[in-house]
Amino acid sequence: STNRAGVPANGDSRAPMFNHGCTKVLFESAASNLVSGTWNGSYNVYIKDLHNNSTILASAGVSGQFLDSGSTHAAINEAGTVVAFTSWASDLPGGELGRPAVYLRDLQSGRVTNVSSAYSSFCPGAKGFSWPNFSPDGHYLVFTSVNSPANPDFRGKCVLVWNVNKGTSAIIGATGRAVGWDDACVTGVNNGTTFAPIMSDATKIHLRLILFTISGKDRVCGIVLRDLNGNDIPIKSQINIHQILEPNINSSGDYLSWDVYSRKQQVYACKVDRCANGLS
């Protein structure tokens, strides 16, 4: 978290993420000295190129300027060419000041796309959108609705999938509109234990798997695995008997890990075909 001259950031920096080749590092910072321009007084998203030591503002307007509000909760694709981020700014396509939306920025062309605007009719009660994650190959982006415009940690029930290559929703309803799923779990500890959904690459059995938490018996948040066709992969009943926190799936979709909230918080892991009913 330094500028091109190697001067450290003069504000807090956090949430680092590599691209696949480890040539670039994405991070958030509240610093005002990382790039030139009139700082907006908020957290912004930056990329450090480890080859040429450059630092660029990733959460920038169409002309590369600081936005009129902050940006956080970002991700970078494996090639290091596209960034997804959440912004509260109004000077982005379809932006509304104070309302979080999910954007894609092509770092080569500078083009910025508001991907969450396509889902306004699907999630009419949403207070915004956040928590984008790329699939390992970068072909898809998965994110969620949020219930609080000021605090995206209060995530909503909608899980959305965007086809990055085609520039359209990966899931289209019968009316031709962009849709997703609206059954993510928002109950539990501290007003919600949902997390940023994760997508694997294609597996030997399934097209792709999207992992998130869903409300189950007694309103306990449990694991759900769902493919892009909307088919759920059944999870053994003994797994979803406690509050599930922080589930994860590896890039090839072969292994799951999670921890549970009960008398003692513990971490578990298993192969997907051993976690699921009906599979060997």
Side-chain angles (χ1 to χ4, degrees):
S1 53
T2 61
N3 63 21
R4 190 180 187 95
V7 178
N10 60 7
D12 291 340
S13 300
R14 64 190 186 191
M17 177 183 291
F18 279 110
N19 69 318
H20 180 69
C22 296
T23 58
K24 298 177 181 178
V25 181
L26 174 147
F27 63 96
E28 303 169 9
S29 183
S32 63
N33 66 333
L34 291 176
V35 297
S36 60
T38 303
W39 179 52
N40 56 19
S42 302
Y43 273 92
N44 297 280
V45 180
Y46 298 88
I47 290 180
K48 184 76 170 184
D49 190 314
L50 300 179
H51 281 174
N52 60 25
N53 204 40
S54 64
T55 303
I56 66 168
L57 178 64
S59 57
V62 292
S63 60
Q65 81 280 10
F66 278 100
L67 301 172
D68 61 7
S69 191
S71 303
T72 60
H73 299 87
I76 188 169
N77 70 340
E78 66 165 10
T81 56
V82 180
V83 170
F85 60 92
T86 304
S87 184
W88 287 255
S90 67
D91 49 351
L92 283 172
E96 181 181 336
L97 191 64
R99 182 182 176 90
V102 172
Y103 298 89
L104 284 178
R105 181 180 179 85
D106 188 311
L107 298 175
Q108 297 171 320
S109 68
R111 181 184 179 188
V112 181
T113 303
N114 184 336
V115 300
S116 55
S117 62
Y119 301 94
S120 57
S121 61
F122 174 69
C123 292
K127 305 302 182 183
F129 299 89
S130 187
W131 296 96
N133 262 329
F134 285 101
S135 61
D137 59 11
H139 293 173
Y140 293 90
L141 187 76
V142 58
F143 58 100
T144 67
S145 62
V146 297
N147 289 333
S148 169
N151 187 351
D153 286 339
F154 295 133
R155 302 176 188 104
K157 295 181 64 177
C158 295
V159 176
L160 303 318
V161 186
W162 183 260
N163 188 318
V164 176
N165 290 348
K166 294 183 177 180
T168 62
S169 174
I171 309 170
I172 302 295
T175 62
R177 293 181 177 178
V179 298
W181 303 301
D182 61 352
D183 55 353
C185 186
V186 294
T187 63
V189 181
N190 296 329
N191 198 36
T193 57
T194 54
F195 75 115
I198 300 173
M199 175 182 279
S200 75
D201 279 338
T203 73
K204 296 177 182 178
I205 302 175
H206 307 282
L207 296 176
R208 289 172 188 268
L209 294 177
I210 299 94
L211 173 69
F212 57 99
T213 53
I214 189 171
S215 294
K217 184 180 179 181
D218 299 324
R219 297 174 66 84
V220 167
C221 293
I223 292 175
V224 64
L225 273 173
R226 188 170 292 171
D227 67 22
L228 273 177
N229 292 328
N231 301 311
D232 285 354
I233 289 75
I235 300 296
K236 289 183 177 180
S237 59
Q238 60 265 40
I239 292 176
N240 282 337
I241 60 175
H242 297 295
Q243 192 83 334
I244 298 294
L245 306 174
E246 301 175 309
N248 206 345
I249 189 169
N250 70 327
S251 61
S252 60
D254 297 319
Y255 290 89
L256 293 177
S257 65
W258 67 95
D259 62 76
V260 299
Y261 186 84
S262 58
R263 292 182 179 179
K264 187 177 183 180
Q265 200 161 339
Q266 296 175 315
V267 174
Y268 295 85
C270 70
K271 291 190 68 175
V272 168
D273 60 2
R274 295 185 181 273
C275 289
N277 293 319
L279 296 178
S280 60

